[in-house]
């Protein structure tokens, strides 16, 4: 009994699934004449699933559009076979084979599980809504429990009356729809609900209304049928019957006994379209029943309807049921009404007919006394093409409609479930890689390795197309099944960024520089249904589902390193006022976090000093300052790349994930992310100060400061920068260490010779503290010029009045020349080479180089000046001596050496 019930449920699920997932078929010109053996089992795939939880039994299976198989497992209720224990266990087997186990820690009310009155629908990315019946104060109602793939309960919502029907909107990201039961006149209320809010799972009503039936005199409502639309929304078909008013049957041959109307609701307007008449007949049928409505790529909707007719032949009458396909456009315009060959419909048993995405029909025939199933593939004219069967050991069936694969599940043995996948014969194999027969090819191709710098992708369709309103999006895969994949860019067909080539078949999509910014990463392109429409009929075309058009980025060539950079971004007016009203450091942090996720890049790479200011040109908007720190290794994105990516993301905000984040959506995309000039201004001020008064009173201390600054630049360069350019490391070391050793030796030399020959120096040195002396010694080792400070008589302090001999002064002078040529100039050259081989984007390195150059020029001029002064001094002394003619030649030599 339960099995029969399951079978019946399964049939409903099939119909439900075929109507959601849409089995499509293509027009007959693409039918391939090829014939295959009827029982081709060579491509069959077996798959075994082992359930880890003891005692769980297979209850139902569902397939998702993306190729995921959902297995609902439950504990049977031993007392009552129509019930189950009040828990929820779901297994998701992805196309990749990855299994997600959902074991909910939640106990459902008895109303939901005895008898089983529970189902679920997938919501957007990793949400599922379990729909079940629950009594509240004695009133039964339909409730939705929103959970995620992490087995977490997000929220519970009240959905409505127990008899309301809940369906997805055809596009998971567009929310779901609740349709109330229709009244006697066929009027049905509908409510369009949003996807759950990420944090609290709140669902809001986006729109609601009623499907109303045209009020036609003498027609009565018979039944209705609803189906999902591929571009999001639902269609509502209803059947009206001529009211014969009691027994006075009219014999007017022009009376239309039956009429079928359809109406649609779509996102945006949330208004049902005016019902359009799609079929009417003068035949007095017994009944018309809708079996399924699916979308056929570029052609329109195809509904399979059965007409029950009693044919009276003289005094004999016979009742027969015939199947027809009713085709209409998404506008509701009628296309055709054709009978499906009798051979199919006359196969007595319980059977199901659906149209296939690659053309033709699939007939599934179920037996009454066994769970076995036979299937046939028929072409569009009803000719048998291929077929197969599943034996009685199979208990449940499903289908992956996009790639045309049937799935049979064997009766469970212990904790093992065995699946058999049977690919069904395709009348047409075009676009098989994309699960879309209307796509001829794409650039890049599926699984192609691309360069991160590509600036467009193209799709070639098999028919002439026009751009429409839905999106094409690119995602980066992340390994975590519980997290959404990273949106790189999303562009609507009508955004003007996309174009159709002159052949009317090829669509060009621009790629932002921030999109493929990670090496060795995996991406996929998703094309929503209705991204393009067929030129011929204006019908939306199917897109490409996720994880189908996969592409990977090549490893990057070793990239140029770049230094850190600070930039300003502007908030829009809403964002500015929010910024001013909230905790600003938190606001900064939220923006940094959002950028680090969206770029994506380690959070440490983006920092802020928390500085902000009002934009002088737009006083109501604030500018926020952020710094992008330089990469610590060649594996990381360079700061210039990050800076450029942020700039692109901001400029293209409406097409990137920035607009989905609470904080980054407040950034003003009309203002570019700009480098701040404050660093440059600081440097200018520094130079002005540095060059203001070189011959002033504090000249010596100034010179020491200059030496220290020089050392700081050199050390910073050595410690932080030069490692980015391996070929400069050794030269840099040589020109850093050797001159300092020379300086140190010269300092020791001066010190020792002064102590031993100059009694005044000896007295001076014993009077000043040792610590101070050590500091001076170190300074002198850095640049011997620093000794000058000790002799400068600065501030009249004793410490700065070392009595140095002329010999020592001379060593200092020549030592500092050595410094210029052995250290300053080589270092400058190294730095020029360095800045030449890394990427920079501001004037900072230029100023570093100018600064280095100026230091050299400054030293050269000063030293030369000193030399000249000394030379004049010496010449004067010699002249004086010649005048006096009193000194011996030996004294002259001694004077010369002392100058
Ligand atoms: C169709 O999709 C299912 C589910 O992703 C997969 O297991 C199966 O191998 C696919 N069949 C073909 C013929 O590609
Ligand atoms: C299940 O949830 C209850 C409360 O909701 C909690 O006390 C219990 O620890 C949970 N059990 C597990 C296994 O998580
Ligand atoms: C679910 O419960 C409602 C109200 O109790 C009932 O009308 C409906 O038939 C039940 N459905 C199933 C499948 O038991
Ligand atoms: C909509 O479709 C579902 C499933 O096919 C059905 O159960 C429900 O009664 C329909 N609702 C209306 C108002 O037609
Ligand atoms: C066709 O209609 C007749 C009369 O309403 C009914 O007795 C018969 O069961 C119907 N046949 C099918 C297959 O629905
Ligand atoms: C009507 O049916 C009866 C019995 O089936 C038969 O005898 C008679 O000839 C039939 N009448 C006609 C006009 O066919
Ligand atoms: C039951 O199924 C078997 C095949 O599995 C078949 O031979 C038999 O005729 C069926 N019986 C009925 C009553 O359909
Ligand atoms: C493309 O479409 C346009 C407008 O529909 C038409 O004028 C043009 O001839 C078509 N081009 C080709 C190559 O078919």
């Amino acid at each position: 009994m339960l099995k029969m019930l399951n079978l019946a449920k399964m049939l409903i699920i099939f119909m439900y699934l075929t109507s959601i997932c849409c089995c499509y078929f293509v027009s007959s010109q693409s039918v391939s004449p090829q014939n295959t053996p009827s029982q081709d089992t060579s491509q069959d795939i077996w798959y075994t699933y082992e359930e880890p939880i003891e005692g769980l039994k297979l209850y139902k299976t569902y397939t998702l559009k993306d190729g995921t198989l959902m297995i609902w497992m439950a504990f049977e209720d031993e007392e009552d076979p129509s019930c189950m224990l009040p828990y929820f266990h779901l297994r998701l087997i992805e196309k990749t084979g990855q299994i997600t186990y959902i074991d909910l820690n939640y106990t459902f009310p008895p109303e939901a599980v005895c008898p089983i009155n529970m189902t679920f629908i997938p919501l957007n990315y990793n949400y599922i809504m379990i729909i079940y019946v629950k009594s509240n104060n004695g009133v039964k109602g339909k409730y939705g429990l929103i959970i995620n793939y992490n087995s977490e309960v997000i929220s519970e919502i009240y959905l409505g009356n127990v008899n309301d029907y809940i369906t997805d909107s055809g596009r998971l990201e567009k929310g779901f729809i609740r349709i109330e039961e229709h009244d006697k006149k066929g009027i049905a209320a509908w409510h369009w609900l949003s996807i759950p809010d990420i944090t609290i799972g709140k669902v809001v009503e986006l729109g609601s209304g009623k499907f109303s039936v045209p009020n036609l005199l003498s027609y009565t409502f018979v039944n209705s049928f609803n189906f999902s639309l591929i571009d999001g929304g639902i269609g509502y078909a209803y059947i009206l019957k001529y009211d014969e008013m009691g027994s006075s049957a009219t014999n007017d041959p022009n009376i239309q006994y039956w009429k079928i109307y359809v109406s649609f609701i779509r996102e945006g307007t949330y208004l049902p379209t005016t019902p359009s008449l799609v079929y009417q007949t003068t035949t007095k049928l017994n009944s018309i029943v809708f079996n399924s409505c699916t979308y056929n790529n570029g052609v329109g909707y195809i509904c399979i309807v059965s007409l029950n007719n009693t044919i009276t032949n003289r005094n004999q009458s016979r009742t027969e049921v015939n199947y027809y396909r009713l085709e209409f456009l998404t506008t509701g315009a009628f296309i055709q009404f054709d009978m499906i060959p009798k051979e199919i419909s006359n196969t007595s048993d319980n059977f199901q007919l659906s149209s296939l995405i690659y053309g033709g029909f699939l007939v599934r025939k179920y037996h009454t006394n066994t769970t076995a199933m036979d299937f046939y593939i028929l072409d569009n004219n009803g000719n048998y093409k291929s077929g197969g069967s599943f034996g009685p050991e199979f208990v449940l069936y499903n289908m992956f409609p996009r790639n045309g694969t049937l799935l049979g599940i064997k009766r469970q043995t212990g904790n093992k479930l065995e699946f058999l996948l049977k690919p069904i014969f395709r009348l047409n194999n075009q676009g098989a890689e994309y699960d879309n027969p209307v796509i001829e090819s794409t650039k890049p191709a599926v699984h192609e390795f691309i360069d991160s710098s590509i600036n467009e992708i193209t799709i070639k369709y098999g028919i002439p197309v026009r751009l429409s309103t839905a999106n094409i999006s690119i995602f980066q895969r992340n390994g975590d099944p519980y997290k959404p994949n990273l949106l790189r860019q999303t562009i609507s067909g009508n955004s003007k960024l996309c174009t159709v080539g002159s052949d009317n078949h090829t669509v060009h999509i621009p790629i932002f520089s921030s999109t493929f910014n990670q090496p060795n990463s995996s991406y996929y392109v998703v094309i929503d249904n209705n991204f393009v429409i067929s030129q011929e009929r204006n019908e939306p075309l199917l897109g490409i589902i996720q994880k189908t058009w996969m592409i990977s980025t090549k490893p990057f060539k070793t990239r140029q390193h770049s230094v850190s950079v600070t930039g300003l971004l502007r908030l829009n007016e809403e964002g500015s006022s929010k910024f001013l009203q909230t905790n600003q450091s938190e606001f900064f942090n939220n923006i940094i976090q959002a950028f680090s996720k969206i770029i994506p890049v380690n959070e440490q790479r983006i920092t802020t000093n928390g500085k902000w200011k009002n934009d002088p040109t737009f006083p109501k908007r604030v500018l926020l300052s952020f710094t992008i720190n330089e990469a610590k290794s060649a594996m990381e994105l360079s700061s210039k790349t990050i800076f450029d990516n942020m700039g692109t993301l901001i400029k293209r905000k409406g097409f990137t994930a920035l607009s989905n984040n609470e904080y980054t959506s407040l950034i003003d995309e009309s203002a570019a992310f700009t480098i701040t000039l404050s660093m440059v201004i600081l440097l200018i001020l520094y130079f002005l100060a540095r060059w203001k008064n070189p011959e002033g009173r504090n000249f010596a201390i100034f010179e020491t400061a200059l030496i220290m600054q020089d050392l700081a630049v050199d050390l910073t360069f050595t410690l932080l920068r030069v490692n980015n350019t391996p070929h400069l490391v050794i030269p840099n070391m040589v020109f850093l260490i050797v001159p300092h050793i020379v300086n140190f030796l010269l300092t020791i030399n001066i010190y020792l010779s002064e102590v031993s020959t100059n009694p005044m120096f000896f007295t001076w040195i014993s009077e000043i503290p040792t610590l101070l002396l050590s500091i001076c010694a170190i300074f002198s080792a850095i640049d011997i010029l620093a000794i000058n400070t000790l002799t400068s008589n600065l501030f009249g302090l004793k410490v700065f009045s070392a009595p140095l001999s002329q010999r020592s002064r001379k060593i200092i002078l020549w030592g500092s020349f050595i410094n210029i040529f052995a250290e300053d100039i080589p270092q400058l050259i190294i730095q020029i080479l360095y800045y030449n081989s890394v990427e920079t984007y501001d004037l900072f390195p230029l100023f570093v180089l100018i600064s280095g150059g100026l230091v050299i020029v400054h030293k050269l001029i000063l030293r030369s000046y000193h030399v000249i002064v000394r030379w004049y001094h010496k010449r004067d002394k010699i002249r004086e001596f010649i005048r006096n003619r009193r000194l011996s030649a030996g004294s002259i030599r001694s004077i010369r050496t002392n100058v």
Side-chain angles (χ1 to χ4, degrees), residues 480-516:
D480 189 342
Y482 304 128
K483 283 192 185 146
N485 290 302
L486 210 58
L487 175 65
R488 306 310 303 154
Q489 63 170 71
T490 178
I491 306 179
S492 153
N494 60 4
S495 70
K496 296 207 175 111
L497 290 175
C498 301
T499 52
V500 180
S502 57
D503 62 352
N504 291 339
H505 286 254
T506 310
V507 179
H508 300 256
I509 297 106
I511 296 298
F512 306 151
S513 60
S514 54
T515 298
F516 296 117

Side-chain angles (χ1 to χ4, degrees), residues 23-132:
C23 310
Y24 312 91
F25 76 99
V26 284
S27 42
S28 47
Q29 71 262 16
S30 53
V31 169
S32 100
Q34 181 188 350
N35 266 314
T36 55
S38 61
Q39 275 275 32
D40 181 8
T41 53
S42 62
Q43 287 172 297
D44 290 2
I45 302 169
W46 283 96
Y47 180 89
T48 307
Y49 166 76
E50 277 183 52
E51 171 55 47
I53 299 180
E54 203 60 45
L56 273 183
K57 293 277 180 300
L58 172 67
Y59 176 54
K60 276 184 187 176
T61 54
Y62 298 82
T63 52
L64 294 187
K65 268 183 258 187
D66 66 2
T68 301
L69 174 67
M70 298 176 123
I71 310 171
W72 184 353
M73 305 293 291
F75 289 108
E76 284 171 338
D77 187 334
E78 264 139 38
E79 283 150 32
D80 187 346
S82 67
C83 304
M84 60 159 80
L85 298 189
Y87 311 109
F88 186 76
H89 302 274
L90 189 69
R91 305 341 183 181
L92 286 94
I93 306 182
E94 269 192 54
K95 202 154 63 172
T96 54
Q98 185 184 324
I99 307 180
T100 302
Y101 298 86
I102 299 177
D103 297 297
L104 218 55
N105 179 12
Y106 188 89
T107 309
F108 287 89
E111 305 88 280
V113 292
C114 208
I116 302 166
N117 210 324
M118 181 152 84
T119 182
F120 66 87
I121 57 167
L123 297 178
N124 57 323
Y125 74 94
N126 71 354
Y127 291 121
I128 289 172
M129 184 166 69
I130 304 168
I131 301 162
Y132 60 100

